[in-house]
């Protein structure tokens, strides 16, 4: 039995990833922060897929919460190790840089970039010891191309992309792979304020993507089949940017 942690598993893309990993036979730790009811729905879906898992609450951007929650899990589960980590939790707080408030900058960096750091640093030791690991970071087209109104979010996601490439080289010899998946526009709560009908005209596939489509590539990267892929950033954007 392999153990997988999905940060931000309560809703959207994270929920679809939890379901995919459950289908693949992983035990899924569904992390959430502010949506316990949504997280419980995800866990039910995991069980409906014939899988198993549990909820684990922490704010990825708060080092103490991350380390306490994961440390307690390790203490309760001696001999078991989380070998699949999907850093998916993310927020956006868009504003033109000229008008951006300090907290819009720091909140987005704290969740999207520091969250990756605190969670990954805590779990990587077990992966190195067990000589197997899969780290998959959900980044964004915004971190590759840059999007106006998202200097904070673009900076955070670009930061995770740089860290993905650096860490991949640090741990490759120990059979730990580190990759990033960069979605374009995907239907979720994060994009529900956007007008798909208007924006889809820019997308060669003429539609937003679905969380399940992102989950497929994450599932592949979590599997043994992706054993020679590391340090990669894989676009999933309907042809919007290549
Ligand atoms: P979403 O529907 O808004 O869901 C966000 C998830 O992140 C929720 O499960 C939320 O959990 C969790 N989360 C937020 N802050 C957290 C924190 N501090 N600690 C722990 N969990 C936290 O967004 P989504 O579209 O599924 O996005 C998932 C990832 O894909 C994000 O990294 C996002 O940047 C990225 N992405 C999305 C799109 C898109 O078009 N949707 C495109 C590119 C990249 P709670 O509700 O429990 O707090």
């Amino acid at each position: 039995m392999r153990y997988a942690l999905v940060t931000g598993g309560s809703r959207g893309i994270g929920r679809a990833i939890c379901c995919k990993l459950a289908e693949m036979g992983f035990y899924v730790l569904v992390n959430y922060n502010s949506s316990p009811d949504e997280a419980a729905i995800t866990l039910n879906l995991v069980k409906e897929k014939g899988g198993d898992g549990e909820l684990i609450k922490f704010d990825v951007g708060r080092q103490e919460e991350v380390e306490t929650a994961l440390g307690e899990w390790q203490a309760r589960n001696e001999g078991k190790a989380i070998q699949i980590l999907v850093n998916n939790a993310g927020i956006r707080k868009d504003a033109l840089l000229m008008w951006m408030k300090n907290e819009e900058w720091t909140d987005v960096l704290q969740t999207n970039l520091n969250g990756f750091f605190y969670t990954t640093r805590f779990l990587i030791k077990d992966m190195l010891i067990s000589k197997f690991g899969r780290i998959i970071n959900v980044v964004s087209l915004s971190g590759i191309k840059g999007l106006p109104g998202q200097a904070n979010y673009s900076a955070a996601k670009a930061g995770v992309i740089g860290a993905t490439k650096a860490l991949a080289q640090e741990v490759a010899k120990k059979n730990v792979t580190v990759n990033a998946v960069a979605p374009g526009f995907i239907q979720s709560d994060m994009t529900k304020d956007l007008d798909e009908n208007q924006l889809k005209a820019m997308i060669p596939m003429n539609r937003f993507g679905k969380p399940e489509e992102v989950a497929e590539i994450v599932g592949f990267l979590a599997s043994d089949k992706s054993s020679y892929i590391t340090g990669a950033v894989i676009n999933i954007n309907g042809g919007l940017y290549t």
Side-chain angles (χ1 to χ4, degrees):
M1 172 73 83
R2 281 197 171 137
Y3 293 82
L5 168 67
V6 181
T7 68
S10 46
R11 294 183 284 120
I13 295 172
R15 173 181 287 169
I17 293 170
C18 289
C19 292
K20 179 69 202 172
L21 297 180
E23 258 173 42
M24 292 168 65
F26 296 114
Y27 182 94
V28 186
L29 284 85
V30 180
N31 161 254
Y32 68 98
N33 183 35
S34 56
S35 310
D37 296 346
E38 296 292 320
I41 293 172
T42 301
L43 187 57
N44 276 338
L45 291 169
V46 160
K47 291 181 176 167
E48 277 172 23
K49 303 264 170 207
D52 199 6
E54 65 189 273
L55 302 181
I56 182 163
K57 181 189 178 333
F58 58 85
D59 177 340
V60 293
R62 296 187 187 278
Q63 182 189 345
E64 250 189 57
E65 276 191 36
V66 173
E67 295 183 355
T68 302
L70 291 174
E72 286 175 0
W73 187 88
Q74 284 179 336
R76 284 195 307 273
N77 291 278
E78 232 177 286
K80 298 174 183 167
I82 297 169
Q83 290 180 308
I84 316 287
L85 167 61
V86 184
N87 286 303
N88 165 78
I91 55 167
R92 50 174 268 248
K93 292 193 176 179
D94 298 355
L96 292 175
L97 187 133
M98 186 167 48
W99 310 115
M100 192 174 283
K101 300 185 183 82
N102 281 358
E103 56 275 20
E104 288 168 337
W105 176 266
T106 51
D107 287 356
V108 168
L109 269 284
Q110 182 171 317
T111 299
N112 295 281
L113 182 60
N114 296 357
F116 150 82
F117 173 59
Y118 297 140
T119 312
T120 306
R121 182 179 59 180
F122 191 85
L123 292 177
I124 197 140
K125 291 173 206 122
D126 273 354
M127 297 186 198
L128 294 172
I129 290 166
S130 66
K131 295 200 174 60
F132 180 86
R134 293 278 187 268
I135 299 170
I136 300 133
N137 300 319
V138 182
V139 294
S140 172
L141 169 67
S142 187
I144 297 174
K145 182 185 175 290
L147 291 179
Q150 293 197 325
N152 49 358
Y153 185 78
S154 297
K157 294 299 193 183
V160 176
I161 290 171
T164 299
K165 294 178 181 181
L167 181 61
Q169 296 172 68
E170 291 180 15
V171 296
K173 280 198 182 69
K174 299 283 187 191
N175 203 24
V176 177
T177 66
V178 190
N179 292 292
V181 169
F185 292 107
I186 307 296
Q187 289 168 348
S188 76
D189 290 344
M190 188 176 274
T191 51
K192 68 179 178 210
D193 60 329
L194 305 179
D195 184 349
E196 179 171 351
N197 271 333
Q198 188 202 333
L199 288 167
K200 72 181 185 185
M202 299 189 313
I203 305 169
M205 285 199 167
N206 205 37
R207 64 175 177 87
F208 281 13
K210 298 186 174 67
E212 293 73 22
E213 292 175 307
V214 180
E216 283 299 326
I217 182 68
V218 173
F220 171 69
L221 290 171
S223 75
D224 288 331
K225 293 177 185 165
S226 66
S227 47
Y228 201 55
I229 303 175
T230 197
V233 183
I234 300 178
N235 285 314
I236 173 157
N237 61 30
L240 178 57
Y241 188 76
T242 54

